[in-house]
Amino acid sequence: MSDTSDKAAPAAAPAGPDQERDQDLGAAGSQLSTAPAEDAPHLPSLGVVGWLRWFWRQLTSMRVALLLLLLLSLGTIPGSLIPQSGNDQTKVDDFRRIHRTLAPLYDRLGLFEVYSSVWFSAIYLLLFISLIGCIVPRTWQFVGQLRGRPPAAPRRLTRLPAYTTWRTDAEPEQVREAALALLKKRRFRAHLTGDAVAAEKGYLREVGNLAFHVALIVLLTAFAWGQLFKMEGNKLIVEGGGFANTLTQYDDFKSGNLFDQEELDPFSFTLKEFDGTYERTGPSRGTPRTFQADLTYSVGAYGKERDTTIKVNQPLVVGDSKLYLVSHGYAPVFTVRDARGEVVLRDAVPLLPLDGNVTSTGVIKVLDGYRDPEGRPEQLGFQAAFLPTYVRGNEVSSDFPALLNPILNLTAYRGDLGVDSGIPQSVYQLDKKNLTAFKDAKGKQLRKNLRPGQTMQLPGGAGSITFEKDIKEWAGFQVTRQPGSAWALTGAGAAIFGLAASLFIQRRRVWVRATRGADGVTVVEMAGLGRSESAKVPEELGDLAGTLYDQAPGAAAPGDENDDSARTPDSHVVSAEGAEK
């Protein structure tokens, strides 16, 4: 029969040096950071509350926050590469027409409206909640640390990474008082605790950490606010033309989902003159020197008219709106006559620039009033190419952006322009499907270069078109409202400050212990501990020890009363490894 009597339990194994060191430094090294402690992996408790608690802990962890930030960055890639409905619906329609297989898939995934899609909004909101759930407890923990005091000195200072000691004839109380005054002078938070002075410094590191996370929330909020309430509209205006800030006046308009058209700032302006000058010689030839528009504007229905000048990056600010000067081109004046010589069109027609030298193209459309030689109503269209500075031998592009030698190339068409079909079309393009080109005497397509003041006669007495000497200029303006831009700038500045503080400031603690030894001589011990391994802690401790040593100089070792070298500080300094120097 086996022996079932109780046996003595085996004695606990003695703690090793690493375990003993960790236990000794547990209180001293605690709370050097406000980062939440990593819990040991365990299964969540059963029930809805347990699962919610587990999900909340996962959502507010640093790993999930970084993952969400990465997903948000990846989500912006299709928003940059794929045309978006909110920015350019025409490009989206072209993409759908060309890519008939991909377009339905993109529609289902919301890739044509990335920033308002369900999946992007979900990532955005989860990141927002994760940051808030991380910041709030860390902030309260940090406030508690600020209200508390540095922890007492560990039992064995020799186990700390940076350590030094010496013996002195000064009284322990004098050493502790001198150490307390020195540490406070060096902007440490210090206090006496038992036989030692405890001090701590570098709280701005955690301030920077929290500021960086708060700045991310500010940036996310500003971005969301700006996207929801933004507006942006573009308008091309020829010299002498005007604009009123109403929706129907814009050539192109887009806004956020929550923007109300009634919130448009009431103002109007007239473009009096555009002034652009360019470098004539040198490697910068053709580079703009001045680029400005002179306006007369008024605010409100009965506002007083004022004169102002808008330059690049110097907008006109009216209320919450900013009026920017964004583009420039030429608008030649044309006069079109019918077969009887009556004027059916006289207007300045804006042409769109194609390059830096303002080589321009456009169309002139005669929609109403024209009759052919038989008296039948008809429509005319002219394809125009304009060169502000023509150089013989180069009929393709302009040589300079200013009007030095302007020339206009015209191609004439007749027929149906397609504007009555109900299908919208661009005023800068000519639909030639139902048009017939005029032919010259040789049976070739009628095409002619005109200088200012010259006229092109249409064959068969069909009329004429004159390129007038008066060449006007046009300017493109953009009206924007970005309600979250100031907050975004503030958040970016705070993020830079927080990141710099968390990278370059180190949280560290210093302890100074002064006790009377068995021989009656005071033993001084100094030790330092930082949040991470750094050469700054030993260097700073050495500097503090040298200053304190001057106030409490070393005492001679027993038997060395006549040896002056024993009183030098280096002979009593112990390095971080514990070897006596």
Side-chain angles (χ1 to χ4, degrees):
M1 191 173 183
S2 61
D3 186 7
T4 58
S5 60
D6 293 339
K7 297 181 180 180
D18 293 340
Q19 183 179 1
E20 189 175 336
R21 178 174 181 263
D22 292 341
Q23 293 175 353
D24 193 28
L25 299 183
S30 66
Q31 296 184 352
L32 275 174
S33 170
T34 57
E38 294 289 341
D39 296 333
H42 62 279
L43 293 175
S45 59
L46 297 177
V48 177
V49 176
W51 281 107
L52 290 176
R53 185 183 296 111
W54 176 84
F55 178 77
W56 177 255
R57 288 180 178 177
Q58 297 302 314
L59 181 61
T60 56
S61 66
M62 184 62 67
R63 289 186 296 271
V64 173
L66 292 175
L67 178 61
L68 291 173
L69 191 60
L70 175 62
L71 291 177
L72 190 69
S73 302
L74 294 177
T76 60
I77 295 177
S80 303
L81 300 180
I82 300 174
Q84 300 296 292
S85 298
N87 294 334
D88 196 333
Q89 185 62 43
T90 303
K91 289 185 178 180
V92 174
D93 295 338
D94 292 341
F95 188 94
R96 286 196 175 102
R97 186 177 64 255
I98 298 172
H99 304 87
R100 298 188 179 275
T101 303
L102 281 178
L105 177 62
Y106 284 6
D107 278 322
R108 286 194 293 269
L109 296 177
L111 296 183
F112 291 122
E113 297 178 349
V114 168
Y115 302 110
S116 59
S117 62
V118 175
W119 58 268
F120 189 86
S121 300
I123 297 174
Y124 196 90
L125 292 176
L126 286 175
L127 178 59
F128 198 89
I129 296 172
S130 177
L131 288 173
I132 294 177
C134 180
I135 288 173
V136 172
R138 291 185 68 169
T139 302
W140 285 117
Q141 183 180 352
F142 183 59
V143 170
Q145 294 179 18
L146 290 176
R147 297 177 63 182
R149 289 185 170 186
R155 224 173 10 154
R156 300 183 182 180
L157 293 178
T158 55
R159 297 184 180 275
L160 295 180
Y163 172 79
T164 184
T165 183
W166 72 90
R167 294 155 48 90
T168 181
D169 292 329
E171 295 295 324
E173 294 79 5
Q174 295 177 354
V175 176
R176 289 193 289 266
E177 290 176 1
L180 182 63
L182 172 63
L183 291 170
K184 287 185 176 181
K185 184 178 180 181
R186 297 292 181 88
R187 298 190 300 276
F188 279 84
R189 292 181 60 198
H191 70 105
L192 286 170
T193 170
D195 59 356
V197 176
E200 189 169 1
K201 192 177 184 180
Y203 288 89
L204 280 179
R205 179 187 181 92
E206 298 307 323
V207 173
N209 237 331
L210 295 173
F212 178 75
H213 287 81
V214 172
L216 287 181
I217 293 181
V218 172
L219 284 172
L220 290 174
T221 304
F223 177 76
W225 188 268
Q227 289 297 314
L228 291 173
F229 293 94
K230 74 173 183 178
M231 63 78 57
E232 181 180 300
N234 297 287
K235 180 65 177 179
L236 185 151
I237 302 176
V238 180
E239 288 178 327
F243 169 81
N245 192 27
T246 59
L247 187 61
T248 56
Q249 289 277 300
Y250 284 101
D251 298 331
D252 177 36
F253 184 87
K254 52 193 174 187
S255 63
N257 294 333
L258 299 182
F259 178 79
D260 187 358
Q261 298 175 7
E262 299 296 329
E263 297 178 0
L264 287 171
D265 293 305
F267 70 91
S268 60
F269 68 88
T270 300
L271 174 61
K272 296 194 299 182
E273 183 181 7
F274 177 86
D275 182 23
T277 60
Y278 309 87
E279 290 287 347
R280 294 295 185 98
T281 58
S284 300
R285 183 176 183 270
T287 302
R289 297 184 60 184
T290 59
F291 198 78
Q292 61 186 37
D294 296 330
L295 308 179
T296 299
Y297 77 98
S298 62
V299 179
Y302 305 101
K304 180 181 179 181
E305 289 191 347
R306 306 175 185 176
D307 293 333
T308 188
T309 299
I310 298 181
K311 301 180 181 179
V312 178
N313 296 326
Q314 296 182 15
L316 170 65
V317 180
V318 180
D320 294 329
S321 301
K322 292 183 178 180
L323 178 66
Y324 289 91
L325 175 63
V326 295
S327 58
H328 155 258
Y330 293 102
V333 178
F334 298 94
T335 300
V336 180
R337 293 178 172 84
D338 61 11
R340 295 173 295 179
E342 296 182 359
V343 175
V344 294
L345 174 69
R346 180 180 176 84
D347 198 6
V349 179
L351 305 179
L352 298 182
L354 302 177
D355 54 29
N357 287 329
V358 202
T359 303
S360 305
T361 184
V363 298
I364 303 101
K365 298 180 180 181
V366 181
L367 305 178
D368 301 308
Y370 174 79
R371 294 181 178 274
D372 64 10
E374 286 75 26
R376 294 171 298 186
E378 198 172 26
Q379 295 178 339
L380 299 180
F382 300 88
Q383 191 78 45
F386 180 68
L387 281 63
T389 300
Y390 167 73
V391 176
R392 184 174 296 276
N394 183 11
E395 281 79 14
V396 178
S397 61
S398 175
D399 188 64
F400 194 75
L403 295 171
L404 301 183
N405 184 25
I407 194 170
L408 180 73
N409 180 271
L410 285 178
T411 305
Y413 298 87
R414 66 194 305 173
D416 182 10
L417 295 175
V419 294
D420 299 327
S421 62
I423 301 176
Q425 60 177 242
S426 172
V427 296
Y428 304 104
Q429 296 178 348
L430 198 61
D431 185 2
K432 303 175 184 176
K433 183 171 58 176
N434 298 317
L435 294 178
T436 303
F438 281 96
K439 304 292 184 178
D440 60 14
K442 298 181 180 179
K444 297 181 179 181
Q445 186 178 26
L446 180 63
R447 184 190 301 270
K448 188 174 182 180
N449 290 335
L450 300 179
R451 296 187 180 278
Q454 293 183 342
T455 299
M456 181 174 73
Q457 297 293 336
L458 300 179
S464 65
I465 180 171
T466 302
F467 175 25
E468 303 291 347
K469 293 183 179 181
D470 181 19
I471 301 177
K472 294 186 177 182
E473 300 185 58
W474 60 261
F477 296 91
Q478 185 178 80
V479 182
T480 64
R481 287 184 65 175
Q482 297 289 344
S485 57
W487 284 103
L489 180 60
T490 302
I496 295 174
F497 161 76
L499 187 61
S502 61
L503 290 177
F504 298 109
I505 297 176
Q506 185 177 14
R507 186 94 172 264
R508 65 264 192 203
R509 288 170 179 160
V510 173
W511 293 274
V512 181
R513 175 176 286 147
T515 57
R516 193 177 301 278
D519 57 356
V521 179
T522 300
V523 178
V524 182
E525 292 181 288
M526 294 186 67
L529 177 65
R531 178 180 175 183
S532 58
E533 294 294 332
S534 171
K536 185 175 183 179
V537 175
E539 291 176 1
E540 187 173 34
L541 184 69
D543 181 51
L544 292 170
T547 304
L548 185 60
Y549 186 89
D550 294 337
Q551 302 179 42
D560 293 337
E561 288 79 0
N562 298 324
D563 187 0
D564 292 338
S565 64
R567 297 179 179 274
T568 61
D570 287 343
S571 63
H572 298 282
V573 175
V574 179
S575 66
E577 288 76 17
E580 185 176 353
K581 295 182 180 178

